[in-house]
Amino acid sequence: MAPPTALDVQSISDTQIATFLDRLSVNGVSARRSKAPKMGGGIAAHASSDMFKSPGYGKPKAKRWDHRLNEESSSRQPSSLKGAAKYLKNPGIISLGGGLPSSQYFPIEHIDIKIPTPPYFSEHATKESGVVKRIGKHDIADGKSIYDMHVALNYGQATGSAQILRFVTEHTEIVHRPPYKDWQCCMSVGSTSALDTAYRMFTTRGECILTEEYTFSTAAETARPMGVQCVGVQMDAEGLLPSHLDSLLSDWDPAAHNNAPKPWLLYTVPSGQNPTGATQSLRRRKEIYRMAQKHDLYILEDEPYFFLQMQPYTGPNAPDVPPPTSREAFIGALVPSLLSMDIDGRVMRLDSFAKVIAPGLRLGWITASEQIVERFVRHSEVSTQNPSGTSQLILFKLLEETWGHAGYLDWLINLRLEYTNRRDNICYACEKYLPREVASWNAPMAGMFHWIKIDWQKHPSYSPESMLDIEDKIFHATIDGGTLTSKGSWFRAEIDNPGNDMFFRTTFAAEAEDQVTEAIRRFGHALRTVFNLEKPTNGAAE
């Protein structure tokens, strides 16, 4: 079954998901801000999404999750030092309390960054017509900005700075419109750190968590040293199968899983799943959410590729599908998130700037109920402390002072089209160079990865050799030919269960299009060599 296309999404009414009128739009941000109290953005200033989001009149409050939080999380108390920072806003206060260094000893006076001007986003256009933004140490005192290095380079709160938290809270409301009242955002040090914190909040040694049967390897590698094992849920072209999720939980046998109790934590990557590239349709996401309600699951919705949903794949020499004609059309073309249908507050959504701005910033955010965000903050206060001030400040200059919400959505639309071209290029190369006798694939509709299935049972040594041995031969033959791919077995959720199918993960995100084409040609040559296949008569593989 081929993956659905992003533009196939239709508005489907659902009596379980309420509709509310206090919706924020890009054009409504200025009016919202004009009615809000003045933002306090000094050193280590308190910040909460409640300062920036709609009041949520008529929406239900989230369920309580005390029964899902582990002993470590439940026992954490607020940081004494972080809490004392609230007094810094008092007029005339002289602080001898916190160990905050004076900014006069920060050996940086200013930073200049050059930023694209929408809609001219290319490297060449940025070089020629980009705008230079100067970040000074004392811009607030000089009346030039509401955020500067004097604040950003000092200690901050675990929630992140008010200046950038306001932007991501508004962005979350514009795109996802969480349907319960007490949702909040909190900045994170990227989604990997946020996932580690979530595990430490929810899991206990000896338990299991649920994931796709092929999963982000770091997600599984983070859990295992904590004594938590991953249980893989079967997948199809749309990702995780709700029917198997249901049967797995309904028939859970602790004896078959080292006496582990029935799992209740689900980790999933709904869009452009890593490694398979699968994207859950709207119907699939609703089915998964209903299974979560039936079995009282809590969901970790990891969505680094959400905005890399692409145009439908039409194939070589076929006309392209017209792109979204407006920002509203772009948002409407995205498959709605699990967060957007979460009436219970049973979803923690992990967002990141890694795939849409830059991974080295190590900056993202979570969205969850007030109770869960408060516990997340308690963990972060004594571990990461606060996200990088430099990263927050750079993104503030980019997103808030230069692009605004409109410009950021324009950038995301640009990425959609860029990644569509890259996806199309690797699919064209596969159609030209890979031997169809043993290789098959579906064009991904989101993300960075192309997942290629290999019919390993057609290998000449199929009977005496195992699947993993043949996989290793293909991997090294590809390396010898000058291309690096990733073995599908690296991503198995259950490392002692290799499954019955063979896959290789390729990515179209980094290399130039001609290099990707050449890499696929080399991969095709390696497959033909390992499987002793004849070279094509049209010479395509060579």
Side-chain angles (χ1 to χ4, degrees):
M1 184 167 123
T5 64
L7 293 183
D8 287 340
V9 175
Q10 302 293 326
S11 176
I12 297 177
S13 62
D14 190 323
T15 55
Q16 287 189 290
I17 301 175
T19 300
F20 302 94
L21 299 178
D22 57 342
R23 291 185 170 183
L24 181 65
S25 66
V26 171
N27 295 332
V29 169
S30 295
R32 163 81 63 81
R33 291 184 179 183
S34 68
K35 299 175 183 177
K38 183 179 179 181
M39 180 173 60
I43 295 173
H46 168 75
S48 166
S49 287
D50 287 342
M51 301 160 61
F52 312 121
K53 68 186 182 72
S54 298
Y57 297 127
K59 293 183 180 181
K61 292 193 71 173
K63 294 179 180 294
R64 296 284 301 181
W65 299 100
D66 305 81
H67 63 301
R68 295 310 193 194
L69 293 167
N70 62 23
E71 182 178 358
E72 176 188 349
S73 183
S74 298
S75 63
R76 288 196 181 275
Q77 299 297 314
S79 164
S80 302
L81 294 174
K82 296 286 187 185
K86 65 185 178 183
Y87 299 111
L88 293 174
K89 66 180 180 180
N90 290 5
I93 194 82
I94 299 174
S95 175
L96 303 181
L100 305 174
S102 170
S103 64
Q104 66 180 302
Y105 303 121
F106 299 166
I108 304 171
E109 183 60 29
H110 66 260
I111 300 172
D112 288 344
I113 57 175
K114 196 169 188 179
I115 296 171
T117 302
Y120 307 107
F121 292 118
S122 70
E123 282 190 334
H124 176 74
T126 303
K127 183 177 180 180
E128 295 298 319
S129 61
V131 58
V132 175
K133 286 285 185 176
R134 170 158 292 189
I135 305 170
K137 185 185 288 187
H138 300 292
D139 285 348
I140 296 175
D142 294 340
K144 296 178 180 178
S145 180
I146 61 171
Y147 200 25
D148 61 15
M149 291 195 294
H150 164 74
V151 172
L153 298 189
N154 221 311
Y155 288 107
Q157 295 289 343
T159 53
S161 70
Q163 293 89 340
I164 197 67
L165 182 63
R166 177 174 71 174
F167 188 92
V168 302
T169 299
E170 293 167 345
H171 173 77
T172 298
E173 188 168 352
I174 289 168
V175 175
H176 304 290
R177 299 182 175 123
Y180 64 96
K181 184 176 183 177
D182 53 332
W183 64 273
Q184 292 187 355
C185 297
C186 176
M187 304 306 298
S188 70
V189 188
S191 290
T192 301
S193 173
L195 180 61
D196 176 78
T197 300
Y199 284 169
R200 294 184 181 278
M201 290 169 57
F202 291 116
T203 65
T204 300
R205 185 170 291 273
E207 292 182 341
C208 296
I209 61 174
L210 301 156
T211 73
E212 288 92 351
E213 62 180 324
Y214 292 92
T215 190
F216 176 38
S217 55
T218 299
E221 291 163 358
T222 301
R224 289 176 190 134
M226 297 180 183
V228 177
Q229 297 302 311
C230 294
V231 176
V233 181
Q234 292 174 7
M235 306 173 68
D236 64 8
E238 289 188 28
L240 186 149
L241 282 167
S243 58
H244 185 246
L245 176 64
D246 187 26
S247 62
L248 183 66
L249 294 172
S250 298
D251 303 327
W252 182 260
D253 180 10
H257 297 88
N258 296 318
N259 294 317
K262 177 180 171 180
W264 53 266
L265 187 65
L266 171 63
Y267 170 80
T268 182
V269 182
S271 306
Q273 198 257 357
N274 184 1
T276 68
T279 295
Q280 298 166 11
S281 66
L282 175 58
R283 183 179 299 276
R284 177 64 56 87
R285 295 181 199 214
K286 287 187 174 185
E287 291 171 351
I288 291 170
Y289 190 80
R290 291 191 178 101
M291 288 301 104
Q293 290 180 311
K294 176 180 177 179
H295 295 282
D296 197 25
L297 305 182
Y298 193 88
I299 302 173
L300 302 178
E301 180 187 22
D302 191 5
E303 277 285 37
Y305 313 107
F306 182 76
F307 288 108
L308 299 186
Q309 295 183 42
M310 296 171 281
Q311 298 290 97
Y313 180 69
T314 56
N317 305 315
D320 294 332
V321 173
T325 55
S326 67
R327 299 172 191 121
E328 293 74 17
F330 167 67
I331 294 174
L334 299 170
V335 182
S337 63
L338 290 167
L339 174 65
S340 72
M341 59 189 71
D342 181 21
I343 58 176
D344 299 332
R346 66 173 66 249
V347 174
M348 177 193 287
R349 180 179 170 88
L350 284 65
D351 274 290
S352 175
F353 289 109
K355 304 302 190 293
V356 296
I357 299 291
L361 291 170
R362 302 316 308 141
L363 195 63
W365 73 97
I366 68 159
T367 306
S369 67
E370 180 181 18
Q371 179 195 18
I372 298 302
V373 168
E374 188 272 338
R375 291 291 88 192
F376 186 92
V377 169
R378 298 290 85 84
H379 281 255
S380 300
E381 284 175 338
V382 293
S383 55
T384 57
Q385 287 222 14
N386 58 266
S388 163
T390 304
S391 295
Q392 292 184 86
L393 189 51
I394 288 173
L395 276 179
F396 172 80
K397 286 291 179 181
L398 174 67
L399 300 178
E400 176 70 31
E401 288 198 348
T402 307
W403 286 355
H405 288 285
Y408 184 44
L409 289 173
D410 289 344
W411 168 253
L412 296 175
I413 294 170
N414 170 71
L415 284 183
R416 177 190 181 97
L417 300 180
E418 290 289 326
Y419 273 85
T420 295
N421 290 336
R422 285 178 170 270
R423 184 275 317 273
D424 289 353
N425 177 72
I426 197 171
C427 288
Y428 297 162
C430 288
E431 291 178 20
K432 183 175 182 180
Y433 292 119
L434 296 191
R436 287 284 192 172
E437 303 96 309
V438 297
S440 60
W441 59 89
N442 287 316
M445 64 169 284
M448 298 179 165
F449 303 112
H450 190 41
W451 188 241
I452 301 171
K453 183 176 182 179
I454 305 300
D455 189 352
W456 65 278
Q457 295 178 352
K458 291 183 177 178
H459 189 271
S461 301
Y462 158 62
S463 295
E465 291 196 67
S466 73
M467 181 183 72
L468 294 181
D469 289 334
I470 296 172
E471 180 191 52
D472 195 59
K473 283 187 175 183
I474 297 170
F475 177 76
H476 284 287
T478 306
I479 290 286
D480 293 342
T483 290
L484 176 64
T485 60
S486 295
K487 295 180 181 180
S489 61
W490 292 344
F491 303 96
R492 289 290 296 180
E494 302 173 28
I495 55 176
D496 57 348
N497 176 15
N500 299 315
D501 295 321
M502 181 188 296
F503 297 93
F504 281 84
R505 191 194 76 172
T506 61
T507 179
F508 47 89
E511 298 287 353
E513 290 186 4
D514 61 334
Q515 292 296 296
V516 170
T517 298
E518 173 60 18
I520 291 298
R521 187 196 68 79
R522 295 173 182 178
F523 182 50
H525 179 74
L527 289 174
R528 293 182 184 281
T529 300
V530 171
F531 281 85
N532 294 331
L533 299 175
E534 293 183 3
K535 296 177 182 179
T537 56
N538 62 6
E542 297 298 314

